């Protein structure tokens, strides 16, 4: 491009956006990257290898040449008996046969040559050779291969006279035109013209097979200057057919012009399409939508943050299908042919069944899988399609703060937002059940029902007295059974207006401090949040407005940085709290049009029995969870198998142990495979000469003479064995299995996360 004068903005370039929009996205099975995907032809299990195919083709060609040589050299007895039966007998009795007889012989020989070629072409599978090595090749290799093959055939047929086709052409050509008496130069010239015509006829099928015309048109378009090219017709989607179908041609023209002039990006396109779908659902929004499009164009219906894209992207995204590409399927034998070397992608349709990622530190879980998923959901939030809650340790590279709408940093005084300890609920029983699962869900020695009862005996009276739930220090003091705190709360509670709550509080006073009281254990667990560093956080006063996961009815991007290094116990407790609150809020949200996803970069000790049960209910709530674990040992033993069964998508990274691989292998099941067994049997000879030969052979090779017995059978085997998962997954790879919310499955396959 020529240099632009200072102060003049560069010309808008819409080619990238239009190319992205026009790229086909065919339907595919879960896990396949649909952007530009070309389904591969299904290859049968008995596909002939290249070596066997070429050997058979060359052998058939040599056999055809041998048969033709025998025919052409009159070594086939009575070869013209069929011709003599249908032609006059005087043609063959005279020493000087007429020209018609010569023409008949040429036709007869040509028909025989055609039959020979057809038969041996079927025997040698020449059609498959041409398809595999010519027509299936990309240009210009396809055209070049067809040209070389066509030139060879044309030279043999037209210029060397092979297979009598040239004789046939000369026989059917008028004799007076072809032969000029007394002028040999003119005759030679006309014979050359005949050979040229025959050459063109021989080259025609190869020109079609090599698509020479398409190659020439592509080269012509490449040489045509960009200024003189005709504008391409708008492809599907570029002219907003969904708006035109509803009679909104003016809006469609406005948006089409925005795309052609380069003022629209993929986020704008997805966001406006999402807004239009809401207009179709509620026609009352049409006036607001129309005025926004006419006045702001591609900036219409902006996200509340005002952003139209992320500060930067680290992965490849396609917002038309809501997919993010995370790698490609390995081109290995156990990968189905339709998946080999194809792109791998995840989307809300698969994340809705939740994703479990297991791998040790340094295996690439965060950089190659967790962060691309979070980035994709953040882009979808800007397009009004999803809500994201990203939970990670403080300092984890999960994008800049500008890429999120809310950044919560518990324990950091610079944090502008706070977190609601009770998940935004006003029901003390619900809050008690939630906190009981968070505080004691991973303790087998504590009964969750008793723990929930203890919390409900305190939260209900406290809310009735103060109109709010207790803060962390207040709740810990009550759980400890401090007499002054319990008596003060009992005195403030009206026994007549709240007789039931008063009776529950009295029961709590009697049970406090007795052996086996779960309140003491709950207070100890809650003590990790009652630290000076958390002073001011989890505020429950009337003026506080902490963030609650019940706000995910809006396309929010939330990141929560946990103090994992300084306060690991508090970070684990908060992770458990967020997982439980997310599952509870998703089950009760009224508007489920947005896909909501919670991404836990480190779910160590965050899994409880209640959260495993809640994971199964997220599918119907249009929500999902991404759980990343260093090892399944971080999950209580009795919850490991239920956790793997509760999620629909699994990713096993290199470095897991064999017992962890056994759990995945058991979850993925078995499949039928064809096995070949070769058994070697010693050959015992009875004849003296044969025994002598075997003895000499054994003396020379050092091995007895054996014969092979081959057995081919179908057996049922594990898709991935525990040993293969523990030792056979290369670095930078993972074994990924996906399940969509519609029940479609993608088998566990090896994925190269670097491609």
């Amino acid at each position: 491009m020529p240099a632009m004068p200072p102060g003049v903005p560069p010309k808008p370039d819409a080619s990238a956006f239009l190319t992205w929009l026009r790229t086909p996205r065919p339907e595919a099975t879960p896990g396949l990257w649909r952007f530009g995907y070309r389904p591969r032809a299904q290859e049968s299990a008995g596909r002939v290898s290249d070596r066997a195919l070429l050997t058979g083709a060359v052998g058939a060609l040599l056999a055809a040449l041998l048969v033709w040589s025998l025919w052409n050299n009159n070594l086939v007895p009575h070869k013209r008996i069929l011709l003599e039966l249908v032609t006059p007998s005087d043609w063959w009795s005279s020493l000087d046969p007429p020209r018609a007889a010569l023409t008949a012989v040429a036709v007869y020989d040509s028909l025989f040559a055609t039959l020979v070629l057809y038969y041996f072409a079927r025997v040698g599978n020449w059609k498959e050779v041409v398809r595999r090595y010519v027509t299936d090749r990309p240009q210009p290799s396809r055209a070049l291969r067809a040209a070389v093959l066509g030139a060879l055939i044309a030279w043999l047929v037209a210029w060397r006279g092979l297979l009598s086709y040239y004789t046939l052409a000369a026989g059917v050509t008028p004799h007076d035109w072809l032969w000029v008496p007394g002028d040999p130069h003119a005759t030679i010239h006309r014979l050359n013209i005949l050979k040229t015509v025959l050459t063109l006829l021989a080259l025609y099928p190869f020109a079609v097979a090599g698509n020479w015309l398409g190659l020439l048109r592509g080269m012509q378009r490449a040489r045509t200057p960009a200024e003189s090219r005709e504008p391409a017709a708008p492809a599907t989607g570029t002219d907003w057919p969904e708006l035109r179908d509803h009679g909104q041609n003016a809006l469609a023209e406005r948006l089409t012009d925005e795309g052609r002039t380069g003022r629209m990006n993929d986020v704008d396109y997805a966001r406006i399409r999402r807004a239009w779908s809401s207009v179709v659902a509620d026609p009352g929004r049409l006036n607001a939508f129309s005025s926004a499009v006419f006045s702001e164009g591609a900036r219409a219906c902006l996200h509340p943050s005002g952003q139209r894209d992320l500060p930067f992207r680290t992965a490849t995204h396609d917002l038309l299908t809501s997919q993010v590409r995370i790698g490609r399927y390995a081109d290995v034998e156990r990968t189905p042919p339709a998946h080999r070397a194809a792109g791998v992608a995840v989307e809300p349709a698969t994340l809705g069944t939740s994703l479990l990622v297991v791998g040790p530190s340094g295996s690439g879980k965060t950089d190659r899988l967790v962060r691309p998923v979070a980035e994709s959901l953040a882009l979808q939030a800007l397009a009004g399609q999803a809500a994201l809650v990203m939970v990670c340790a403080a300092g984890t590279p999960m994008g800049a703060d500008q890429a999120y709408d809310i950044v919560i940093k518990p324990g950091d005084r610079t944090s502008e937002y706070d977190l609601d300890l009770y998940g935004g609920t006003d029901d003390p029983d619900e809050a008690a059940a939630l906190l009981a699962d968070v505080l004691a869900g991973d303790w087998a020695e504590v009964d969750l029902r008793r723990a929930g009862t203890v919390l409900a005996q305190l939260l209900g009276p406290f809310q009735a007295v103060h109109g709010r739930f207790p803060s962390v220090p207040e709740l810990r003091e009550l759980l400890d059974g401090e007499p002054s705190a319990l008596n003060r709360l009992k005195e403030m509670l009206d026994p007549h207006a709240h007789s039931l709550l008063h009776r529950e509080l009295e029961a709590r006073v009697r049970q406090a401090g007795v052996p086996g009281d779960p309140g003491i254990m709950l207070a100890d667990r809650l003590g990790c949040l009652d630290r000076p560093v958390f002073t001011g956080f989890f505020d429950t006063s009337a003026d506080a407005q902490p963030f609650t996961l019940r706000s995910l009815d809006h396309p929010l991007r939330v990141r929560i940085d946990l103090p994992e290094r300084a306060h690991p116990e508090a970070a684990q407790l908060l992770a458990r709290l967020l997982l439980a609150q997310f599952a509870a809020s998703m089950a009760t949200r009224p508007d489920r049009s947005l896909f909501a996803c919670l991404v836990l970069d480190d779910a160590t000790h965050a899994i409880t029995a209640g959260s495993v049960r809640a994971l199964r209910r997220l599918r119907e709530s249009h929500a999902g969870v991404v759980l990343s674990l260093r090892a399944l040992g971080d999950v209580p033993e009795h919850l490991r198998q239920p956790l793997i069964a509760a999620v629909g998508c699994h990713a096993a990274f290199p470095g897991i142990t064999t017992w962890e691989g056994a759990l995945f292998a058991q979850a993925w099941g078995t499949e039928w495979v064809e096995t070949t067994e070769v058994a070697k049997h010693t050959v015992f000879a009875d004849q003296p000469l044969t025994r002598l030969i075997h003895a000499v052979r054994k003396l020379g090779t050092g091995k007895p003479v054996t014969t092979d017995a081959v057995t081919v059978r179908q057996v049922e085997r594990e898709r991935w064995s525990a040993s293969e998962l523990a030792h056979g997954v290369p670095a930078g790879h993972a074994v990924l299995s996906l399940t969509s919310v519609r029940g479609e499955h993608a088998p566990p396959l090896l994925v190269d996360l670097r491609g």
Side-chain angles (χ1 to χ4, degrees):
M1 296 292 293
M4 303 299 294
V8 178
K11 294 182 179 180
D13 182 13
S15 59
F17 171 73
L18 295 178
T19 300
W20 168 80
L21 200 57
R22 292 167 179 167
T23 302
R25 297 166 175 84
E27 294 294 331
T29 57
L32 284 175
W33 174 250
R34 292 171 52 190
F35 181 80
Y37 172 66
R38 295 182 179 179
R40 296 179 58 176
Q42 293 291 336
E43 300 179 6
S44 61
R47 179 180 181 270
V48 180
S49 63
D50 292 348
R51 180 178 180 180
L53 181 65
L54 292 178
T55 301
V58 173
L61 177 61
L62 295 177
L65 294 177
L66 175 61
V67 171
W68 174 251
S69 177
L70 295 176
W71 179 274
N72 194 39
N73 292 314
N74 298 321
L75 296 178
V76 178
H78 310 291
K79 74 172 188 178
R80 293 182 181 176
I81 187 172
L82 296 178
L83 179 62
E84 293 175 356
L85 290 175
V86 297
T87 54
S89 58
D90 56 350
W91 283 7
W92 317 109
S93 60
S94 63
L95 297 177
D96 187 15
R99 186 172 183 271
L102 299 178
T103 303
V105 171
V107 172
Y108 184 70
D109 290 344
S110 299
L111 288 176
F112 180 78
T114 302
L115 292 176
V116 169
L117 288 177
Y118 176 77
Y119 175 77
F120 285 101
R122 293 290 300 272
V123 172
N125 203 4
W126 293 355
K127 182 179 179 180
E128 175 65 16
V129 173
V130 174
R131 185 195 65 80
R132 190 178 300 184
Y133 297 104
V134 178
T135 58
D136 285 355
R137 298 290 178 173
Q139 296 287 19
S141 175
R142 174 182 176 180
L144 180 61
R145 291 167 181 254
V148 172
L149 186 60
L152 177 62
I153 299 300
W155 178 73
L156 292 175
V157 171
W159 299 91
R160 301 297 299 174
L162 187 65
L163 301 178
S164 293
Y165 289 111
Y166 172 72
T167 305
L168 174 63
V172 299
T173 304
H175 187 270
D176 297 339
W177 183 88
L178 191 60
W179 306 98
V180 181
D183 192 353
H185 296 286
T187 301
I188 294 175
H189 177 68
R190 294 185 180 186
L191 289 175
N192 290 334
I193 293 177
L194 178 62
K195 292 180 179 180
T196 303
V197 173
L198 191 60
T199 300
L200 295 178
L201 292 176
L203 287 176
Y204 177 75
F206 296 96
V208 174
N211 194 19
W212 295 357
L213 185 59
L215 178 62
L216 292 176
R217 289 176 178 175
M219 296 174 62
Q220 185 178 5
R221 285 195 300 267
R223 289 194 301 265
T224 303
E227 294 79 3
S228 61
R229 296 178 188 173
E230 296 181 359
T236 302
T238 59
D239 56 349
W240 297 86
E242 57 268 40
L243 272 69
R244 299 183 188 273
D245 292 342
H246 289 77
Q248 302 298 325
N249 295 326
L251 293 177
E253 290 295 336
R254 178 77 167 92
L255 294 175
T256 301
D257 181 68
E258 292 286 298
R260 290 176 178 174
T261 55
R263 294 192 294 268
M264 180 179 291
N265 61 11
D266 55 348
V267 178
D268 297 332
Y269 186 85
R271 185 186 66 251
I272 295 176
R273 284 189 61 185
R274 166 74 180 182
W276 173 250
S277 65
S278 66
V279 172
V280 174
D282 184 7
R285 302 178 180 178
L286 179 59
N287 292 333
F289 177 79
S290 302
S291 61
V293 170
F294 279 126
S295 61
E296 300 179 11
R299 299 180 61 87
C301 310
L302 271 181
H303 187 265
S305 65
Q307 298 179 8
R308 300 171 59 192
D309 203 345
L310 296 179
F312 55 90
R313 303 184 185 185
T314 60
T316 305
H317 305 271
D318 182 23
L319 290 178
L320 272 185
T321 57
S322 301
Q323 288 187 321
V324 54
R325 178 165 179 164
I326 59 175
R328 63 181 178 184
Y329 286 109
D331 191 1
V332 294
E333 182 179 357
R334 70 189 310 161
T335 304
H339 291 71
R340 291 178 184 173
V344 185
V346 294
E347 55 187 311
T350 53
L351 294 176
T353 62
S354 298
L355 171 62
L356 176 64
V357 184
V358 181
S361 299
S363 59
K365 305 187 304 297
T366 299
D367 295 337
R368 293 171 177 166
L369 185 55
V370 176
R371 181 170 181 177
V373 170
E375 190 175 279
S376 174
L377 293 171
L379 285 172
Q380 294 174 44
L382 291 179
Q385 300 174 350
L388 166 67
V389 179
M390 180 69 227
V391 182
C392 59
T396 304
M398 283 295 172
D401 293 351
Q402 295 79 10
Y404 295 89
D405 305 311
I406 298 175
V407 179
I408 305 175
K409 302 177 181 180
D412 190 344
R413 298 295 182 183
T414 62
S415 178
E416 299 180 4
Y417 299 93
D418 194 5
L419 189 63
D420 190 347
L421 185 65
Y422 301 96
T425 182
D426 295 329
D427 186 357
D429 293 331
E430 181 181 354
L434 186 68
L435 280 180
D437 185 57
V438 171
L439 295 175
D442 57 340
W443 282 348
E445 60 271 15
V446 177
D447 187 0
L448 288 181
R449 290 180 298 178
R450 290 191 60 194
T453 301
V454 170
L455 288 168
Q457 290 172 345
L458 298 174
L459 295 182
F462 193 96
Q463 185 190 40
V465 172
H466 299 281
R468 60 178 178 85
F469 287 134
S471 62
V472 172
E474 292 171 337
L475 180 59
R476 184 186 182 189
E477 187 179 28
L478 293 173
L479 288 174
D480 272 330
E482 183 68 29
S484 59
L486 291 175
N487 292 333
R488 185 169 58 252
L489 180 61
K490 183 178 178 181
E491 293 174 358
M492 298 176 64
L493 185 65
D494 188 354
H496 301 287
H498 305 285
S499 58
L500 294 178
L501 296 178
H502 193 273
R503 185 167 62 249
E504 289 186 355
L505 184 58
E506 287 183 341
R508 173 74 281 219
V509 173
R510 292 193 302 269
Q511 297 170 1
V514 300
D517 178 22
I520 299 177
M521 301 181 68
L522 295 176
D524 291 340
R525 176 60 66 87
L526 190 64
C528 62
L529 297 181
D530 188 16
R531 294 288 187 270
V533 70
F534 296 111
T535 301
F537 285 90
F538 317 112
D539 190 5
T540 59
S541 62
D543 298 333
Q545 293 182 349
F547 170 75
T548 171
L549 293 180
R550 295 179 182 268
S551 305
L552 295 183
D553 291 337
H554 307 283
L556 291 175
R557 300 168 297 165
V558 183
R559 194 187 75 206
I560 302 176
D561 295 343
L562 301 181
E564 183 176 336
R565 298 178 181 176
H567 303 277
E569 294 183 1
Q572 296 172 8
L573 182 63
L574 290 176
R576 254 195 322 271
L577 176 68
L578 292 169
L579 180 57
Q581 289 185 359
F582 179 81
S585 60
M586 291 301 102
T588 58
R589 66 171 181 163
D591 184 8
R592 299 180 178 181
S593 59
L594 292 179
F595 175 74
C597 187
L598 172 68
V599 181
L600 277 172
D601 182 54
D602 185 7
T604 302
H605 305 296
I607 308 299
T608 62
S611 61
V612 171
R613 290 191 298 268
L615 287 177
R616 301 180 182 272
R617 299 191 295 266
L618 290 178
R619 302 187 185 189
E620 60 188 24
S621 302
H622 198 203
V625 173
V626 178
L627 302 174
S628 177
L629 292 171
R630 297 187 183 93
L632 287 176
D634 297 333
V635 180
E637 185 176 359
H638 66 284
L639 295 178
R640 293 167 188 170
Q641 289 185 344
L643 173 63
I644 294 179
V647 299
C649 305
H650 310 86
F653 278 70
I656 64 174
T657 61
T658 52
W659 68 265
E660 290 174 325
L663 293 176
F664 282 112
Q666 183 179 3
W668 289 334
T670 59
E671 63 179 346
W672 288 96
V673 297
E674 184 179 276
T675 61
T676 302
E677 297 180 358
V678 180
K680 295 184 177 295
H681 301 283
T682 304
V683 178
F684 297 97
D686 296 332
Q687 300 299 324
L689 180 60
T690 307
R691 293 169 62 182
L692 176 61
I693 295 175
H694 287 184
V696 173
R697 180 176 175 182
K698 182 178 180 180
L699 182 63
T701 61
K703 298 179 181 179
V705 179
T706 59
T707 182
D708 294 341
V710 181
T711 303
V712 180
R713 60 181 179 178
Q714 295 283 339
V715 297
E716 191 175 9
R717 288 185 177 177
E718 293 179 331
R719 297 180 183 271
W720 284 86
S721 67
S723 179
E724 288 176 328
L725 290 173
H727 308 291
V729 181
H733 293 65
V735 179
L736 178 68
S737 69
L738 299 173
T739 303
S740 70
V741 293
R742 296 184 298 270
E744 299 172 329
H745 295 272
L749 299 175
L750 185 64
V751 176
D752 185 0
L753 299 176
R754 303 168 300 179

